Amino acid sequence: MNREEHATAHGSGMTCLTRRQLLLNGGLTMAVVTLGGIPGLALAEPVKAVKAGYPRRRIGSLSALMQGMPLEFAYPHDNVHNLLVKLGVAAGGGVGPQRDVVAFNQL
C-alpha cells in the first residue's frame, strides 16, 4: 500500500509517518539534544589560524604570484615541503594587500 492509498484508507487526507521517518527524526532529535548538552560546543568560537615562531625568510614576491598557481618551497628545513598560494579571496591568516596569500604544509 503506497502513501496515497494509506492516507485514503484512513480517510484523513494526511500521510502517516513511516517507520524510517520516525527513526531518522528520533535520531536527529537525540543528536541535537546530545550535542546541545556539551558545554561550550554550541557557543564555540571560530578556530583561528596558528602562527609558528620560525624565523622569517623571503620566499618570493607577492607581485609574482599568480592566483590559483601554487609556488612550492622548502621551509623551515630542506625536507619540509610547502605551498604558497594566492587564493583571490581573503583567508584566515592570509597576508598581502587582499589578505589572500596563504601557505600550506604538504604533510
Side-chain angles (χ1 to χ4, degrees):
M1 179 181 288
N2 65 29
R3 284 186 183 184
E4 290 80 21
E5 292 170 348
H6 188 65
T8 304
H10 289 289
S12 67
M14 295 176 49
T15 58
C16 293
L17 192 64
T18 65
R19 188 178 328 169
R20 178 177 288 160
Q21 291 171 324
L22 176 68
L23 292 173
L24 285 173
N25 289 340
L28 288 173
T29 301
M30 290 304 297
V32 168
V33 169
T34 301
L35 292 176
I38 298 174
L41 184 61
L43 302 175
E45 293 184 26
V47 177
K48 296 185 180 183
V50 177
K51 183 177 177 184
Y54 294 107
R56 297 181 85 144
R57 187 173 96 190
R58 184 175 173 91
I59 305 298
S61 69
L62 289 175
S63 61
L65 285 175
M66 295 174 50
Q67 184 175 323
M69 298 295 296
L71 171 68
E72 293 186 39
F73 67 98
Y75 182 81
H77 308 288
D78 290 339
N79 61 344
V80 180
H81 302 283
N82 305 283
L83 295 173
L84 186 66
V85 184
K86 180 175 179 61
L87 300 173
V89 295
V95 298
Q98 286 82 32
R99 318 259 331 133
D100 64 342
V101 178
V102 294
F104 298 97
N105 184 282
Q106 292 187 20
L107 292 177

